Amino acid sequence: MPIYLDHHATTPVDPRVVDAMLPYFTQKFGNPGSTHVYGEQAREAVEAARETIARAIGAKPSEIVFTSGATESNNLAIRGVAERKRRRGDHLVSVKTEHPAVLDPLAQLAARGYEVTLLDVEPHGSPLAGMVSEEHFAESLRDETCLVSVMLANNEIGAVQPMAAISDDCKQYGVLLHSDATQAVGKLPVDVNELGVDLMSFTAHKLHGPKGVGALYMRRRDPVVRLQPQSIGGGQEQNRRSGTLNVPGIVGFAEAVRLAVESLDTEMARMAALRNRLASELLGALPGAQLVGPELDAEYVDGPLRLPNNLNVMFPGTDGEALMLAMPELAVSSGAACSSKSDEPSHVLQALGLSPDEARSCLRFGLGRYTTSDEIDHAVQLVTAAVSKVGSLMS
Ligand SMILES: Cc1ncc(COP(=O)(O)O)c(C=O)c1O
């Protein structure tokens, strides 16, 4: 199998997570809604998982709503709050580089008569490429703004947004702040109170947990977040999201979060070191290549400006798809997994000001728990050879 450097798309499940999940498929298979002992067993497991996950992000267990993943969490947060708060106002603010699981619900709301402001980000070439300007952000807020949604870390260029500053502005206007933290949880320290977010989406499969399970954090004090449920029926999750809970998935999600938090400091340093080596060797070997996204080692007071496991590089005069075909031994991505099937160049890269051709000549690298130093060395050789081959074919 090829070397896997596409951990922003998904991650392999940690075998310890699989072990934790297995009993919940067979012996402990109960429905947490049932009153008998099978149900009780399942319910206890779900509540223990809720507690672990809540503690990991500085939240209370009652503030965690389990969902099928970050797409559902984003939809629930955005549509749910916009529908519930329409009387306060129908203006929403977000950013051009968000994931489609945020942009598409916003577009749907716009089609229903809401007003949506999508902010620009700092352009390619700036050390802050991909960041929202705090000044522009503050200017976008109005009395009738009902929700702001800004992702914590970008899935293509790893840009980490200045959430605490954004939150301060939101508080001044009394506006709720949602953040898609899918790429950040398990990769960076994430605390809902330090970030000042009122709602936050995340998912298990980006942190060596199973696919199809995620969570939405919803603040329950100062302020109490209320939303219109998007899935109604059995009234699970305190009527916030109906549907029988994915018990094995939830147990695995909690174990994945626990493991990620346990090794967070060492893994952040290890990943940043490997990523920096990958970057410096690629940029050194290929003089035309350019770093895309924020500077690698820049820091806010409270953490890095870029995900430690993310790298995005432009290889001018090449095409990302052709590069990937020229190096089948390496699994990387020429855009986000959700959009790389479409022919459209990445909207994130275009928001940085890259032309469609430039955006098509970028590769995204995402490192993970099992990425080794040897794999990085090998990846450098594969990419360098592929760029020379494709570059000479295209020139
Ligand atoms: C930033 C971001 N948001 C949302 C999602 C969607 O997550 P899920 O696959 O759990 O629905 C992804 C993953 O593709 C992502 O990277």
Side-chain angles (χ1 to χ4, degrees):
M1 292 300 283
I3 296 170
Y4 189 75
L5 287 185
D6 200 15
H7 289 84
H8 299 302
T10 195
T11 57
V13 180
D14 189 306
R16 293 168 290 182
V17 169
V18 177
D19 286 346
M21 293 172 71
L22 281 176
Y24 293 91
F25 287 103
T26 48
Q27 303 103 298
K28 303 183 181 181
F29 59 85
N31 183 329
S34 302
T35 47
H36 46 62
V37 69
Y38 291 95
E40 206 173 292
Q41 238 174 10
R43 200 158 50 246
E44 275 170 14
V46 166
E47 293 318 315
R50 200 187 300 280
E51 171 110 36
T52 303
I53 292 170
R55 203 174 326 115
I57 59 164
K60 294 186 207 68
S62 60
E63 296 177 314
I64 302 295
V65 177
F66 287 118
T67 65
S68 63
T71 299
E72 186 189 336
S73 301
N74 286 341
N75 273 267
L76 176 57
I78 294 167
R79 287 159 42 175
V81 169
E83 287 170 8
R84 178 82 189 220
K85 297 209 115 202
R86 193 161 196 177
R87 244 179 300 142
R88 172 196 154 112
D90 58 2
H91 176 234
L92 297 98
V93 176
S94 189
V95 187
K96 290 187 175 166
T97 50
E98 294 286 321
H99 191 272
V102 165
L103 293 176
D104 288 359
L106 289 173
Q108 195 196 51
L109 289 171
R112 283 166 51 191
Y114 287 81
E115 198 188 335
V116 176
T117 302
L118 290 181
L119 297 170
D120 287 320
V121 293
E122 297 292 332
H124 176 60
S126 153
L128 299 179
M131 299 297 172
V132 175
S133 130
E134 282 176 49
E135 200 184 314
H136 287 157
F137 176 73
E139 286 165 5
S140 72
L141 296 179
R142 310 186 204 144
D143 289 335
E144 59 275 17
T145 309
C146 62
L147 181 69
V148 166
S149 182
V150 176
M151 73 199 318
L152 185 51
N154 185 270
N155 50 307
E156 294 190 41
I157 53 171
V160 178
Q161 299 295 353
M163 204 56 65
I166 288 173
S167 165
D168 287 345
D169 290 329
C170 289
K171 285 200 180 92
Q172 279 189 17
Y173 278 82
V175 179
L176 292 179
L177 172 60
H178 166 251
S179 183
D180 177 354
T182 302
Q183 295 288 343
V185 174
K187 309 284 164 20
L188 297 174
V190 172
D191 181 299
V192 290
N193 295 312
E194 279 168 24
L195 295 170
V197 295
D198 302 305
L199 301 109
M200 189 176 87
S201 307
F202 53 115
T203 194
H205 76 100
K206 308 284 185 183
L207 48 126
H208 301 282
K211 292 170 186 59
V213 60
L216 178 65
Y217 158 76
M218 281 175 64
R219 189 174 289 281
R220 287 208 123 181
R221 248 182 87 178
D222 301 330
V224 185
V225 174
R226 293 185 209 284
L227 47 67
Q228 187 67 34
Q230 302 295 307
S231 162
I232 52 176
Q236 288 90 344
E237 298 299 84
Q238 304 194 18
N239 285 318
R240 295 172 293 184
R241 191 268 190 184
S242 285
T244 302
L245 291 173
N246 171 2
V247 181
I250 289 168
V251 169
F253 186 11
E255 182 63 358
V257 166
R258 192 186 69 75
L259 292 168
V261 169
E262 187 180 79
S263 59
L264 190 60
D265 290 345
T266 46
E267 273 296 276
M268 277 174 68
R270 191 184 74 87
M271 245 149 3
L274 287 178
R275 186 274 312 272
N276 290 359
R277 214 176 80 221
L278 178 63
S280 66
E281 293 194 7
L282 285 178
L283 298 172
L286 298 160
Q290 294 175 35
L291 176 70
V292 179
E295 264 181 12
L296 297 185
D297 281 330
E299 298 245 342
Y300 293 117
V301 263
D302 45 1
L305 223 84
R306 184 169 187 143
L307 284 173
N309 67 329
N310 170 272
L311 180 66
N312 196 312
V313 180
M314 173 159 68
F315 303 101
T318 69
D319 175 84
E321 292 295 325
L323 288 176
M324 292 190 330
L325 285 174
M327 46 178 192
E329 306 90 335
L330 185 61
V332 288
S333 159
S334 61
C338 51
S339 56
S340 53
K341 269 190 243 98
S342 74
D343 228 14
E344 281 294 297
S346 149
H347 72 282
V348 173
L349 302 179
Q350 292 192 80
L352 294 180
L354 298 190
S355 70
D357 279 349
E358 286 174 327
R360 282 200 186 90
S361 70
C362 295
L363 287 182
R364 172 184 78 167
F365 303 86
L367 284 61
R369 184 171 294 159
Y370 307 112
T371 305
T372 64
S373 179
D374 284 351
E375 286 181 328
I376 295 295
D377 291 340
H378 197 174
V380 171
Q381 288 166 9
L382 292 168
V383 176
T384 327
V387 170
S388 311
K389 187 170 155 199
V390 173
S392 65
L393 287 177
M394 291 182 69
S395 60

